[in-house]
Coordinates of all heavy atoms in Angstrom, one line a residue:
G293 N 0.8 -1.2 0.0 CA 0.0 0.0 0.0 C 0.8 1.3 0.0 O 0.4 2.3 -0.4
D294 N 2.1 1.2 0.5 CA 3.0 2.4 0.5 C 3.3 2.9 -0.9 O 3.6 4.0 -1.1 CB 4.3 2.0 1.2 CG 4.1 1.8 2.7 OD1 3.1 2.2 3.2 OD2 5.0 1.1 3.2
S295 N 3.1 2.0 -1.9 CA 3.4 2.4 -3.3 C 2.3 3.3 -3.9 O 2.4 3.9 -4.9 CB 3.6 1.2 -4.2 OG 4.7 0.4 -3.7
L296 N 1.2 3.3 -3.2 CA 0.0 4.1 -3.7 C -0.5 5.0 -2.6 O -1.7 5.2 -2.4 CB -1.1 3.1 -4.1 CG -0.8 2.1 -5.2 CD1 -1.9 1.1 -5.3 CD2 -0.6 2.8 -6.5
I297 N 0.5 5.7 -2.0 CA 0.1 6.6 -0.9 C -0.9 7.6 -1.3 O -1.9 7.9 -0.6 CB 1.4 7.3 -0.3 CG1 2.3 6.2 0.3 CG2 1.0 8.4 0.7 CD1 3.6 6.8 0.8
N298 N -0.7 8.2 -2.4 CA -1.6 9.3 -2.9 C -2.4 8.9 -4.1 O -2.9 9.7 -4.9 CB -0.8 10.6 -3.2 CG -0.1 11.1 -2.0 OD1 -0.7 11.2 -0.9 ND2 1.2 11.4 -2.1
G299 N -2.6 7.6 -4.3 CA -3.4 7.1 -5.4 C -2.6 6.7 -6.5 O -1.4 6.9 -6.6
P300 N -3.1 6.0 -7.5 CA -2.4 5.4 -8.7 C -1.7 6.5 -9.5 O -0.7 6.2 -10.1 CB -3.5 4.7 -9.5 CG -4.6 4.4 -8.5 CD -4.6 5.5 -7.5
S301 N -2.2 7.7 -9.5 CA -1.6 8.8 -10.3 C -0.3 9.2 -9.8 O 0.5 9.9 -10.5 CB -2.6 10.0 -10.4 OG -2.8 10.5 -9.1
S302 N 0.0 8.9 -8.5 CA 1.3 9.3 -8.0 C 2.1 8.1 -7.5 O 2.6 8.0 -6.4 CB 1.1 10.3 -6.8 OG 0.3 9.7 -5.8
L303 N 2.2 7.0 -8.3 CA 2.9 5.8 -8.0 C 4.3 6.1 -7.6 O 5.0 6.8 -8.4 CB 2.8 4.8 -9.1 CG 3.4 3.5 -9.0 CD1 2.7 2.7 -7.9 CD2 3.5 2.7 -10.3
N304 N 4.8 5.6 -6.5 CA 6.2 5.8 -6.1 C 6.8 4.4 -5.9 O 6.1 3.4 -6.0 CB 6.3 6.7 -4.9 CG 5.5 6.1 -3.7 OD1 5.8 5.1 -3.2 ND2 4.5 6.9 -3.3
L305 N 8.0 4.4 -5.5 CA 8.8 3.1 -5.3 C 8.7 2.6 -3.9 O 9.4 1.5 -3.6 CB 10.2 3.3 -5.8 CG 10.4 3.7 -7.3 CD1 11.9 3.8 -7.6 CD2 9.7 2.7 -8.2
N306 N 8.0 3.2 -3.0 CA 7.9 2.7 -1.6 C 7.2 1.4 -1.7 O 6.1 1.3 -2.2 CB 7.2 3.7 -0.7 CG 8.0 4.9 -0.5 OD1 9.2 4.9 -0.5 ND2 7.3 6.0 -0.2
G307 N 7.7 0.3 -1.1 CA 7.0 -0.9 -1.0 C 7.2 -1.8 -2.3 O 6.5 -2.8 -2.4
L308 N 8.1 -1.4 -3.2 CA 8.2 -2.2 -4.4 C 9.4 -3.2 -4.3 O 10.5 -2.8 -3.9 CB 8.5 -1.3 -5.6 CG 8.9 -1.9 -6.9 CD1 7.7 -2.8 -7.4 CD2 9.3 -0.9 -8.0
T309 N 9.1 -4.5 -4.6 CA 10.1 -5.5 -4.6 C 10.1 -6.2 -5.9 O 9.1 -6.6 -6.4 CB 9.9 -6.5 -3.4 OG1 9.9 -5.8 -2.2 CG2 10.9 -7.6 -3.4
L310 N 11.3 -6.4 -6.5 CA 11.5 -7.2 -7.7 C 12.2 -8.5 -7.4 O 13.2 -8.5 -6.7 CB 12.3 -6.3 -8.7 CG 11.8 -4.9 -9.0 CD1 12.8 -4.2 -10.0 CD2 10.4 -5.0 -9.7
S311 N 11.7 -9.6 -8.0 CA 12.2 -10.9 -7.7 C 12.5 -11.7 -8.9 O 11.8 -11.6 -9.9 CB 11.3 -11.6 -6.8 OG 10.9 -10.9 -5.6
V312 N 13.5 -12.6 -8.8 CA 13.7 -13.7 -9.8 C 13.7 -15.0 -9.0 O 14.5 -15.1 -8.0 CB 15.1 -13.5 -10.5 CG1 15.3 -14.6 -11.5 CG2 15.1 -12.1 -11.3
E313 N 12.9 -15.9 -9.4 CA 12.8 -17.2 -8.6 C 12.7 -18.4 -9.5 O 12.1 -18.4 -10.6 CB 11.6 -17.1 -7.7 CG 10.3 -16.8 -8.4 CD 9.1 -16.6 -7.4 OE1 9.4 -16.1 -6.3 OE2 8.0 -17.0 -7.7
N314 N 13.4 -19.4 -9.1 CA 13.3 -20.8 -9.6 C 12.6 -21.6 -8.5 O 13.3 -22.0 -7.6 CB 14.6 -21.3 -10.0 CG 14.5 -22.7 -10.7 OD1 13.5 -23.3 -10.8 ND2 15.6 -23.1 -11.3
P315 N 11.3 -21.9 -8.6 CA 10.6 -22.6 -7.6 C 11.3 -23.8 -7.1 O 11.7 -24.7 -7.9 CB 9.2 -22.9 -8.2 CG 9.1 -21.8 -9.2 CD 10.4 -21.6 -9.8
G316 N 11.5 -23.9 -5.8 CA 12.2 -25.1 -5.2 C 13.7 -25.1 -5.2 O 14.3 -26.0 -4.7
S317 N 14.2 -24.0 -5.8 CA 15.7 -23.9 -6.0 C 16.3 -22.6 -5.4 O 17.1 -22.7 -4.5 CB 16.1 -24.0 -7.4 OG 17.5 -24.0 -7.6
F318 N 15.9 -21.5 -5.9 CA 16.4 -20.2 -5.4 C 15.4 -19.1 -5.7 O 14.6 -19.1 -6.5 CB 17.8 -19.9 -6.0 CG 17.7 -19.5 -7.5 CD1 17.4 -18.2 -7.9 CD2 17.9 -20.5 -8.5 CE1 17.4 -17.9 -9.2 CE2 17.8 -20.1 -9.8 CZ 17.6 -18.8 -10.2
T319 N 15.6 -18.0 -4.9 CA 14.9 -16.8 -5.1 C 15.8 -15.6 -4.8 O 16.6 -15.6 -3.8 CB 13.7 -16.6 -4.1 OG1 12.8 -17.7 -4.4 CG2 12.9 -15.3 -4.3
V320 N 15.8 -14.6 -5.6 CA 16.6 -13.4 -5.4 C 15.6 -12.2 -5.4 O 14.9 -12.0 -6.4 CB 17.7 -13.1 -6.5 CG1 18.5 -11.9 -6.2 CG2 18.6 -14.3 -6.5
D321 N 15.6 -11.5 -4.3 CA 14.7 -10.3 -4.1 C 15.5 -9.0 -4.1 O 16.5 -9.0 -3.4 CB 13.8 -10.4 -2.9 CG 12.9 -11.6 -2.9 OD1 12.4 -12.0 -3.9 OD2 12.7 -12.2 -1.8
Y322 N 15.0 -8.0 -4.7 CA 15.6 -6.7 -4.6 C 14.5 -5.7 -4.0 O 13.5 -5.4 -4.7 CB 16.1 -6.2 -5.9 CG 16.7 -4.8 -5.8 CD1 17.9 -4.6 -5.1 CD2 16.1 -3.7 -6.5 CE1 18.4 -3.3 -5.0 CE2 16.7 -2.4 -6.4 CZ 17.8 -2.2 -5.6 OH 18.4 -1.0 -5.5
N323 N 14.7 -5.2 -2.8 CA 13.8 -4.3 -2.2 C 14.3 -2.9 -2.6 O 15.3 -2.4 -2.2 CB 13.9 -4.4 -0.7 CG 12.8 -3.6 0.0 OD1 12.7 -2.4 -0.2 ND2 12.1 -4.2 0.9
V324 N 13.4 -2.3 -3.5 CA 13.8 -1.0 -4.1 C 14.0 0.1 -3.1 O 15.1 0.8 -3.1 CB 12.8 -0.6 -5.2 CG1 13.1 0.8 -5.8 CG2 12.8 -1.7 -6.3
P325 N 13.1 0.4 -2.2 CA 13.3 1.5 -1.3 C 14.5 1.3 -0.3 O 15.2 2.3 0.0 CB 12.0 1.7 -0.5 CG 11.3 0.3 -0.7 CD 11.7 -0.2 -2.0
K326 N 14.7 0.1 0.1 CA 15.8 -0.2 1.1 C 17.1 -0.5 0.3 O 18.1 -0.5 1.0 CB 15.4 -1.4 1.9 CG 14.3 -1.2 2.9 CD 14.0 -2.4 3.7 CE 12.9 -2.2 4.7 NZ 12.7 -3.4 5.6
K327 N 17.0 -0.7 -1.0 CA 18.2 -1.0 -1.8 C 18.9 -2.2 -1.2 O 20.1 -2.3 -1.1 CB 19.2 0.2 -1.8 CG 18.6 1.4 -2.5 CD 19.6 2.6 -2.6 CE 19.0 3.8 -3.3 NZ 19.9 4.9 -3.4
D328 N 18.1 -3.2 -0.8 CA 18.6 -4.4 -0.2 C 18.4 -5.6 -1.1 O 17.3 -5.8 -1.7 CB 17.9 -4.6 1.2 CG 18.5 -5.8 1.9 OD1 19.6 -6.2 1.6 OD2 17.9 -6.2 2.9
V329 N 19.3 -6.5 -1.2 CA 19.2 -7.7 -2.0 C 19.1 -8.9 -1.0 O 19.9 -9.0 0.0 CB 20.4 -8.0 -2.9 CG1 20.3 -9.3 -3.7 CG2 20.5 -6.8 -3.9
R330 N 18.1 -9.8 -1.2 CA 18.0 -10.9 -0.3 C 18.1 -12.2 -1.2 O 17.4 -12.3 -2.2 CB 16.6 -10.9 0.4 CG 16.5 -12.0 1.4 CD 15.1 -12.1 1.9 NE 14.2 -12.7 0.9 CZ 13.0 -13.3 1.2 NH1 12.6 -13.4 2.5 NH2 12.3 -13.8 0.2
F331 N 19.0 -13.1 -0.8 CA 19.2 -14.4 -1.5 C 18.6 -15.5 -0.7 O 18.7 -15.5 0.5 CB 20.7 -14.6 -1.7 CG 21.4 -13.6 -2.5 CD1 22.1 -12.6 -1.8 CD2 21.5 -13.7 -3.9 CE1 22.8 -11.6 -2.6 CE2 22.2 -12.7 -4.6 CZ 22.8 -11.7 -4.0
Q332 N 17.9 -16.4 -1.4 CA 17.3 -17.5 -0.7 C 17.5 -18.8 -1.5 O 17.2 -18.8 -2.7 CB 15.8 -17.3 -0.5 CG 15.1 -18.2 0.4 CD 13.7 -17.8 0.6 OE1 12.8 -17.9 -0.3 NE2 13.4 -17.4 1.9
F333 N 18.1 -19.8 -0.9 CA 18.4 -21.0 -1.6 C 17.7 -22.2 -0.9 O 17.8 -22.3 0.3 CB 19.9 -21.3 -1.6 CG 20.7 -20.2 -2.3 CD1 21.3 -19.1 -1.6 CD2 20.8 -20.2 -3.7 CE1 22.0 -18.1 -2.3 CE2 21.5 -19.2 -4.4 CZ 22.1 -18.1 -3.6
M334 N 17.1 -23.1 -1.7 CA 16.4 -24.2 -1.1 C 17.0 -25.5 -1.6 O 17.5 -25.6 -2.7 CB 14.9 -24.2 -1.6 CG 14.1 -23.1 -1.0 SD 14.4 -21.5 -1.7 CE 13.3 -21.6 -3.2
N335 N 17.0 -26.5 -0.7 CA 17.6 -27.8 -1.0 C 17.0 -28.9 -0.1 O 16.2 -28.5 0.8 CB 19.1 -27.8 -0.9 CG 19.8 -28.8 -1.9 OD1 19.2 -29.8 -2.2 ND2 21.0 -28.5 -2.2
N336 N 17.3 -30.1 -0.4 CA 16.7 -31.2 0.4 C 17.7 -32.4 0.4 O 18.6 -32.5 -0.5 CB 15.4 -31.6 -0.1 CG 15.4 -32.1 -1.6 OD1 15.8 -33.2 -1.9 ND2 15.0 -31.2 -2.5

């Protein structure tokens, strides 16, 4: 909801996360406002 603080006409990058994921193997998230990268690896 932070990305739509003032409605769709004023869309900002608060609360936006971009991800690349291979289900059951790995996920890479980029949190745009925090400029943080999160790596997640799954195995069994």
Side-chain angles (χ1 to χ4, degrees):
D294 293 336
S295 298
L296 298 170
I297 294 176
N298 298 313
S301 61
S302 58
L303 180 67
N304 56 64
L305 299 181
N306 291 331
L308 174 62
T309 301
L310 305 176
S311 307
V312 178
E313 56 186 34
N314 185 351
S317 181
F318 70 84
T319 299
V320 180
D321 298 324
Y322 179 65
N323 188 306
V324 176
K326 293 183 179 181
K327 297 181 180 179
D328 186 17
V329 179
R330 188 188 73 157
F331 300 93
Q332 191 172 69
F333 301 96
M334 291 77 81
N335 209 331
N336 58 78

